Amino acid sequence: MLTVNSIPCNPVVVADDITILSTRVKRLQEKLDTLESYSCRWRFDFNTSKTIAVTFGETTRTFNKNNVTRNWKLYNAKVEEKRSWTHVEIELSGDFNGNDRTKNVCKKAKETVHSLMNLGARSGRLNPMCGAGLWKTNGIPTCLYGCELWNTLGTTELNNLERAQRYASNIIQGLGPNTRTAIYAYRQGEERVMGFIPDVMRLLQKYNLQEFLETYINEQYFPRKAEWRKIVLDKIGGHQLSKWKLGMNDKPELCHYKNIHQNIMPFTLCETAKRNPFNRIAVANLVNIVCGNVPDIFMKCVQETPYSYTCQLCYKDIVDINKHLIMECCVLKRPRNEMWDMLYDILPLENVAFLNALQDDEDLYEHLIGAKIPNVQYLPQEMQDKFCLNVANSIMRILFHIKISIIEFDIV
């Protein structure tokens, strides 16, 4: 063991990075001179080629003007001045502009998503709930490393980060990259004050929590940690739920999804696929239909018109392609009847009566594709899964019959 004057000094830890902060140009040179004297006294050298200076708070125009007159030296070598500095893989910009950093983060996010795709995070392969868990534990920590030191993000940066998150969400759920995600970001273009305290105040105002800060200032009372955690989670959850529902209102392709899935929680179809992995392809196809995506085979048997579509099997004008082929097209009556016969055999009589009593075709269609069993009486999980899997497999059989019909009708 290494000792100095009988003091144990093992193991030896060497700090090879030093950061000097100064509010004045001359004061920084004085600190550099002190470092130089200290290194000469203890016989070690700083690497001048790796020594840089960054001035924070200057615009590009001001930097270009002042950079000519500023001249710091270490060992009589000029210290290079840069606009940004990367420390422990965290980029800090002198003008607080993080566009380049955000672009790198978004690029890293997509690379991580593609790595998860290689592990099976795609339609009909890895369950979306498992993929979401991998994204939370590996993707997000990798992309947001050092985000505590990011300055106030601008609208462009926030939009880029949200696009990357939406891209990851679509891929992990087995949906197309361009599938609607029902997330809108509403921002105002006012001049924002930057800093840690302004960021905290904006978060409190965003989630309607500022009253707790005011109570603490006026009455010196603040909730306990467990109580505060519950309050924050409830406020954030309510805010995100309202924002999520608001985002779906303007997207017509999500008209069925917003009625089927009304809470921010794992989709019931994904949970069913997790419990029944051998049927994951059929369930993944059903999830895409619920989300408003039209299967390619469906598009082959319709012809687009200026205001609607025409089914080339029954020659009817239609608006909702998925609904027509699953529920209405007379050419597909046989597989559709087989589907209803199987579902009626599974469900108790009370549930069958409820489905038959539905007057609105939209309600019946949403109960079908959402695998929503009427809440007439409690049914065990096994029966609910059986109902869902029969719906998914029946729609797969309808797809197969459409392929045969396209050949019979000689549809190009």
Side-chain angles (χ1 to χ4, degrees), residues 155-168:
T155 302
T156 302
E157 295 175 85
L158 287 170
N159 287 337
N160 288 336
L161 290 173
E162 288 175 354
R163 289 191 191 100
Q165 170 66 19
R166 292 196 291 265
Y167 179 85

Side-chain angles (χ1 to χ4, degrees), residues 3 9 23-25 29 52 83 108 120 125 147 149-150 161 191 194 274 320 324 346 355 361 375-376 388:
T3 59
C9 298
T23 57
R24 297 182 180 180
V25 175
Q29 183 59 57
I52 64 170
R83 296 297 289 137
K108 189 182 297 183
R125 297 282 295 278
C147 63
L149 301 180
W150 293 0
L161 290 173
E191 187 69 23
M194 296 186 294
K274 186 177 182 180
D320 191 330
H324 172 76
I346 295 171
L355 289 176
D361 290 342
N375 192 21
V376 178
C388 174

Side-chain angles (χ1 to χ4, degrees), residues 36-87:
E36 183 177 340
S37 301
Y38 183 84
S39 66
C40 293
R41 177 182 177 185
W42 292 100
R43 299 181 181 180
F44 69 89
D45 293 330
F46 291 102
N47 190 338
T48 56
S49 63
K50 295 182 179 180
T51 304
I52 64 170
V54 178
T55 302
F56 292 94
E58 285 186 339
T59 63
T60 302
R61 181 177 181 180
T62 306
F63 170 79
N64 293 333
K65 178 181 178 181
N66 295 337
N67 186 36
V68 180
T69 59
R70 289 194 290 253
N71 186 20
W72 295 292
K73 290 189 176 182
L74 182 64
Y75 303 122
N76 291 325
K78 183 178 179 180
V79 175
E80 182 181 5
E81 186 174 5
K82 293 185 176 181
R83 296 297 289 137
S84 62
W85 169 50
T86 302
H87 180 63

Side-chain angles (χ1 to χ4, degrees), residues 77 94 116 147 183 193 210 216 271 286 317 340 353 364 368 370 389 411:
L116 294 178
C147 63
I183 298 178
V193 180
Q210 66 271 26
Y216 176 74
E271 292 181 326
L286 183 57
D317 292 334
W340 285 116
L364 183 60
L368 179 67
L389 296 178
I411 298 175

Side-chain angles (χ1 to χ4, degrees), residues 313-314 316 324 328-334 336:
L313 301 179
C314 63
K316 288 184 178 181
H324 172 76
E328 301 168 353
C329 184
C330 59
V331 177
L332 302 172
K333 183 177 180 179
R334 178 182 173 186
R336 186 183 309 114

Side-chain angles (χ1 to χ4, degrees), residues 43-259:
R43 299 181 181 180
F44 69 89
D45 293 330
F46 291 102
N47 190 338
T48 56
S49 63
K50 295 182 179 180
T51 304
I52 64 170
V54 178
T55 302
F56 292 94
E58 285 186 339
T59 63
T60 302
R61 181 177 181 180
T62 306
F63 170 79
N64 293 333
K65 178 181 178 181
N66 295 337
N67 186 36
V68 180
T69 59
R70 289 194 290 253
N71 186 20
W72 295 292
K73 290 189 176 182
L74 182 64
Y75 303 122
N76 291 325
K78 183 178 179 180
V79 175
E80 182 181 5
E81 186 174 5
K82 293 185 176 181
R83 296 297 289 137
S84 62
W85 169 50
T86 302
H87 180 63
V88 292
E89 300 302 323
I90 302 174
E91 182 179 337
L92 302 175
S93 178
D95 59 356
F96 304 119
N97 187 339
N99 286 329
D100 292 338
R101 177 198 59 221
T102 303
K103 290 179 182 177
N104 292 332
V105 169
C106 295
K107 180 181 178 182
K108 189 182 297 183
K110 293 187 176 181
E111 291 174 350
T112 304
V113 171
H114 293 156
S115 299
L116 294 178
M117 290 179 66
N118 292 333
L119 294 176
R122 59 182 71 196
S123 179
R125 297 282 295 278
L126 186 67
N127 187 273
M129 296 176 66
C130 298
L134 290 174
W135 173 248
K136 289 180 181 178
T137 56
N138 294 280
I140 292 180
T142 300
C143 299
L144 299 186
Y145 170 73
C147 63
E148 299 87 352
L149 301 180
W150 293 0
N151 300 299
T152 304
L153 299 177
T155 302
T156 302
E157 295 175 85
L158 287 170
N159 287 337
N160 288 336
L161 290 173
E162 288 175 354
R163 289 191 191 100
Q165 170 66 19
R166 292 196 291 265
Y167 179 85
S169 299
N170 285 338
I171 296 298
I172 288 171
Q173 294 179 80
L175 306 174
N178 297 323
T179 303
R180 293 285 194 179
T181 53
I183 298 178
Y184 267 129
Y186 296 100
R187 310 196 203 289
Q188 296 180 356
E190 76 276 7
E191 187 69 23
R192 291 157 61 105
V193 180
M194 296 186 294
F196 178 74
I197 299 300
D199 280 347
V200 172
M201 292 300 300
R202 274 189 287 269
L203 285 174
L204 293 176
Q205 293 172 1
K206 178 179 180 180
Y207 298 111
N208 197 23
L209 293 166
Q210 66 271 26
E211 59 182 286
F212 294 95
L213 178 60
E214 296 172 358
T215 302
Y216 176 74
I217 294 174
N218 297 327
E219 304 176 13
Q220 287 72 52
Y221 169 77
F222 199 78
R224 294 180 179 274
K225 183 177 180 180
E227 184 182 356
W228 175 243
R229 175 181 173 84
K230 184 179 184 304
I231 293 172
V232 171
L233 291 177
D234 290 343
K235 289 286 188 179
I236 293 177
H239 174 83
Q240 293 298 333
L241 180 61
S242 300
K243 180 180 176 182
W244 178 59
K245 289 184 175 181
L246 181 64
M248 289 191 291
N249 290 336
D250 297 329
K251 300 180 176 64
E253 61 269 38
L254 295 178
C255 60
H256 301 302
Y257 177 82
K258 69 180 180 180
N259 295 328

Side-chain angles (χ1 to χ4, degrees), residues 247-310:
M248 289 191 291
N249 290 336
D250 297 329
K251 300 180 176 64
E253 61 269 38
L254 295 178
C255 60
H256 301 302
Y257 177 82
K258 69 180 180 180
N259 295 328
I260 295 171
H261 189 61
Q262 298 183 347
N263 293 304
I264 301 180
M265 58 185 297
F267 198 9
T268 53
L269 295 179
C270 296
E271 292 181 326
T272 302
K274 186 177 182 180
R275 291 188 293 267
N276 303 271
F278 294 106
N279 294 275
R280 60 182 180 272
I281 295 178
V283 177
N285 178 68
L286 183 57
V287 170
N288 273 279
I289 291 176
V290 173
C291 293
N293 294 327
V294 181
D296 293 338
I297 191 67
F298 281 12
M299 292 300 300
K300 289 182 179 180
C301 60
V302 298
Q303 185 176 7
E304 187 174 1
T305 61
Y307 301 102
S308 62
Y309 295 90
T310 300

